[in-house]
């Protein structure tokens, strides 16, 4: 089983700066972490590898050179290979341009010794953009099935010859069990597992392992297809929202007047 | 598959009209469809264009009339037993085919678990932009462009996004972030039955960058389980009482449940409270939880981060209780009580109970 995990580096804090000119995030090395749900995706990949003999786990990320650190962490957690898509032209990508680069990297691996993908895993969304679009887009570009919001994955055989996966996907008012054929893309929710930690042996191994650096050119993608120039969307304005209303403010002063006014308001609105 | 060297996305001027992607459940129109119609109607009117609704499902015959009454000019029914339940591959193929033939300039769907799965697939195949989870949609009339506004970077700011060239311009919007239009049965509209094409239908990719022909993978829904243990859904509730970190402990949070029960309201929670494990995730309201638009929203011990406000600011009436008179939540509230919630809430419960028993 050839498993790929798409991993995003996200800011560790919620204080992120914007580039006013392009409307894109200014990413710094400072306090970046692996998107938590992508860690669940990696853990699931490692679980499948334990269950299915002869499996390989490859972590892929896109970002500036410091993003290699996240991939080294993935190696320390147990990934076999790590690929970083890294080039100035890749910067400022929206979800489609990002998906194009990541799908390109997965397809590239098929011809690059790693072999064709059976399962591509990633978090259901990233904590910074919260779009959840990249996973299904990668599936569309790779022309494979997709299951989203998945909390469990079951493969039919343990001999690596499985051609279908049965998943449970969480929906608004319950869950669905869906069977889909491999290869496929699966996006996971937090409930799927408890991510492990890098082991000492893993860390030592990771130190020796190489993070493979690739550019869009090596994936056969034109500079116009990736990054900001390959993005069909543009951020045109960033602003702090104003939700302000005219507020009637009471102070709890022990007289009971404030809560009386509250109950009157409820009565006025037909609630009580 | 990914061997292309260039992109030729068309910025076709022939695209016209607004399309919303409705949702159904066992053949019945899901109410989120009416919210989308209200959004779509506003945009179509600004553009002087037609509003269409794509419905994919099984046994949809009855639904068209109400969809027209709620604002659509055209209803496309893609009706087949194989569409009874949402499956990404076949739904995406059907919607892609419809968009290629109807050529709308704007396509909007709900940011539900199915909409958020379907739309990225279709956008990638059509090689166009898609903005997730918009809270606000408008038209830049001079450029005839869709303005897609959504919370960005952890919900601390809002971003407005355009899709200048690629068509259609696509967006998902949060359920309950708009109010449906009242039903108007005098409205006239056209119903178009779209014949589904077999699985083998091959569509030409729109661009050379890898937007390939649709896949032929197998996907089967084995079972759909409704989780009945989940209490009243916050998104359907008329009244919501939400507790924040100000409650200080899981035990104290029961006070919120008691206040909610006195009003037959649903219980909401902030992200902090869910992260602390005081209540489960389905209760979370805000950017990373649910968006709600109840008639009445009561926020207790909630400071009012933008990420929370983004999920509840369309409530009809907002009431806040907080110790800090400068708390952000008071800025969005219609009515506020500055005080110790451990005094205020029990007094509220008592007085509500007195009022309700006196009224009977």
């Amino acid at each position: 089983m050839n498993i790929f995990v798409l991993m995003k580096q996200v800011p560790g804090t919620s204080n992120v700066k914007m580039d006013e000119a392009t409307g894109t995030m200014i990413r710094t090395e400072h306090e970046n972490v692996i998107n938590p749900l992508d860690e669940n995706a990696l853990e699931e990949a490692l679980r499948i590898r334990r269950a299915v003999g002869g499996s390989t786990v490859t972590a892929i990320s896109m970002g500036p050179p410091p993003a290699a650190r996240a991939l080294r962490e993935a190696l320390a957690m147990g990934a076999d290979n790590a690929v970083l898509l890294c080039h100035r032209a890749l910067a400022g990508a929206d979800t489609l341009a990002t998906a194009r680069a990541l799908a390109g990297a997965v397809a590239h691996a098929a011809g690059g010794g790693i072999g064709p993908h059976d399962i591509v895993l990633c978090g259901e969304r990233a904590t910074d953009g919260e779009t959840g679009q990249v996973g299904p887009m990668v599936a569309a570009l790779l022309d494979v099935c997709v299951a989203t919001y998945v909390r469990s994955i079951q493969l039919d055989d343990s001999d690596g010859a499985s051609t279908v996966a049965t998943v449970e996907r969480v929906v608004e008012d319950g869950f669905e069990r869906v069977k889909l054929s491999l290869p496929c893309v699966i996006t996971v929710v937090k409930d799927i597992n408890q991510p492990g930690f890098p082991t000492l042996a893993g860390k030592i191994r990771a130190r020796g392992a190489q993070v493979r650096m690739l550019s869009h050119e090596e994936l056969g993608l034109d500079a116009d297809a990736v990054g900001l120039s390959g993005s069909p969307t543009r951020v045109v304005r960033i602003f702090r929202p104003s939700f302000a209303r005219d507020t009637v403010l009471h102070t709890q002063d022990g007289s009971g007047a404030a809560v009386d006014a509250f109950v009157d308001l409820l009565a006025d609105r037909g609630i009580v | 598959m990914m061997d292309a060297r260039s992109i030729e996305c068309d910025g076709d001027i022939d695209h016209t009209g607004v399309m919303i992607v409705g949702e159904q459940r066992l053949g019945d129109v899901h109410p989120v469809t009416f919210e989308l119609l209200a959004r779509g109607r506003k945009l179509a009117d600004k553009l002087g264009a037609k509003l269409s609704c794509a419905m994919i499902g099984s046994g949809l015959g009855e639904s068209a009339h109400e969809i027209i009454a709620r604002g659509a000019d055209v209803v496309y029914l893609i009706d087949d037993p194989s569409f009874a339940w949402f499956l990404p591959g076949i739904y995406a193929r059907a919607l892609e085919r419809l968009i290629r033939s109807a050529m709308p300039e704007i396509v909007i769907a709900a940011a539900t678990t199915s909409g958020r799965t379907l739309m990225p697939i279709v956008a990638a195949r059509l090689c166009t932009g898609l903005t997730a989870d918009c809270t606000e949609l408008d038209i830049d009339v001079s450029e005839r462009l869709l303005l897609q506004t959504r919370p960005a970077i952890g919900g601390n700011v809002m971003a407005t996004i355009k899709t200048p060239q690629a068509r259609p311009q696509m967006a998902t919007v949060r359920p309950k972030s708009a109010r449906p239009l009242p039903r108007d049965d005098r409205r006239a509209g056209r119903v178009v039955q779209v014949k589904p094409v077999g699985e083998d239908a091959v569509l030409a990719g729109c661009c050379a960058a890898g937007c390939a022909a649709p896949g032929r993978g197998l996907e089967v829904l084995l079972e759909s389980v409704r989780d009945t243990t989940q209490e009243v859904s916050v998104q359907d509730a008329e009244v919501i009482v939400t507790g924040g970190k100000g409650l200080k402990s899981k035990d104290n949070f029961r006070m919120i449940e008691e206040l909610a029960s006195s009003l037959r309201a649903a219980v909401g929670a902030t992200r902090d409270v869910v992260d602390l494990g005081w209540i489960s995730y389905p209760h979370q309201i805000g950017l990373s939880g649910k968006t709600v638009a109840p008639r009445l929203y009561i926020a207790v011990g909630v400071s009012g981060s933008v990420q929370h406000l983004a999920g509840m600011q369309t409530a009809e009436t907002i009431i806040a209780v907080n110790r800090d008179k400068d708390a952000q939540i008071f800025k969005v509230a219609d009515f506020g009580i500055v005080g110790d919630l451990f005094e205020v809430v029990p007094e509220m419960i008592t007085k509500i109970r007195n009022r309700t028993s006196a009224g009977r």
Side-chain angles (χ1 to χ4, degrees), chain B residues 120-339:
Chain B
I121 301 173
V122 174
R125 292 235 170 98
L126 294 171
C127 196
T128 191
L130 171 64
T131 302
D133 268 350
C134 295
T135 52
E136 190 80 43
L137 293 175
D138 203 352
I139 298 290
D140 178 333
V141 182
S142 65
E143 291 188 302
R144 223 185 149 80
L145 286 177
L146 179 66
L147 298 170
Q148 309 148 41
T149 300
R150 74 183 300 265
I153 25 180
N156 288 314
V157 296
M158 305 294 276
T160 301
I161 293 158
K162 282 183 187 172
T163 308
Q165 261 109 43
R167 291 294 176 274
Q169 306 159 80
M170 295 175 69
T172 61
V173 295
R174 292 222 134 189
K176 298 283 172 184
S177 63
R179 281 172 198 288
L181 297 170
R183 187 179 168 133
D184 177 1
D185 285 304
R186 292 160 307 172
R187 279 189 52 87
R190 198 157 57 91
V191 181
V192 181
Q193 299 280 349
V194 182
K195 225 177 121 201
V197 170
E199 295 247 325
D200 304 67
V202 174
L203 293 166
C206 80
C207 76
C211 305
R216 259 166 258 198
L218 161 96
E219 44 183 14
V220 184
L221 183 93
L222 300 174
E223 69 178 322
S224 170
V225 181
R226 296 185 78 142
D227 185 359
T228 46
T229 60
Q230 230 174 71
E231 307 112 81
V232 55
S233 151
V234 287
Q235 285 192 302
D236 296 327
E238 298 251 295
V239 182
I240 298 172
V241 181
T242 290
K245 229 175 14 180
L247 269 299
K248 296 203 174 106
S249 78
K250 190 171 180 167
D251 281 348
N252 293 336
F253 196 81
R254 302 296 150 245
M255 228 160 76
I256 294 300
E257 288 162 10
E258 204 184 327
L259 177 58
S261 110
S262 75
L263 293 166
R264 290 187 299 276
V267 175
T270 61
R271 182 165 67 183
D272 288 336
V273 163
V274 172
D275 286 348
L276 287 164
W278 297 353
I279 197 164
S280 63
Y281 176 71
H283 294 272
Q284 188 171 320
I285 290 165
L287 179 65
S288 46
K290 298 211 168 72
T291 302
V292 295
R295 282 179 55 214
L296 175 67
Y297 190 90
I298 304 178
V300 180
V302 174
S303 62
S305 67
V306 177
Q307 101 89 26
H308 183 72
L309 302 184
M312 45 64 80
Q313 43 93 14
T314 53
E316 212 167 285
T317 301
I318 297 172
I319 296 176
V321 180
N322 202 298
R323 214 168 52 176
D324 174 9
K325 69 170 172 33
D326 297 318
Q328 281 296 320
I329 192 75
F330 285 129
K331 302 217 162 52
V332 306
D334 300 282
F335 180 96
I337 297 180
V338 182

Side-chain angles (χ1 to χ4, degrees), chain A residues 201-227:
Chain A
K203 280 181 182 166
I204 292 166
R205 212 178 52 81
R207 216 174 291 157
Q210 279 291 318
V211 173
R212 180 143 190 234
M213 306 285 248
L214 289 175
S215 75
H216 57 288
E217 286 154 355
E218 286 151 292
L219 306 181
L221 289 168
D222 201 87
D224 289 346
V226 296

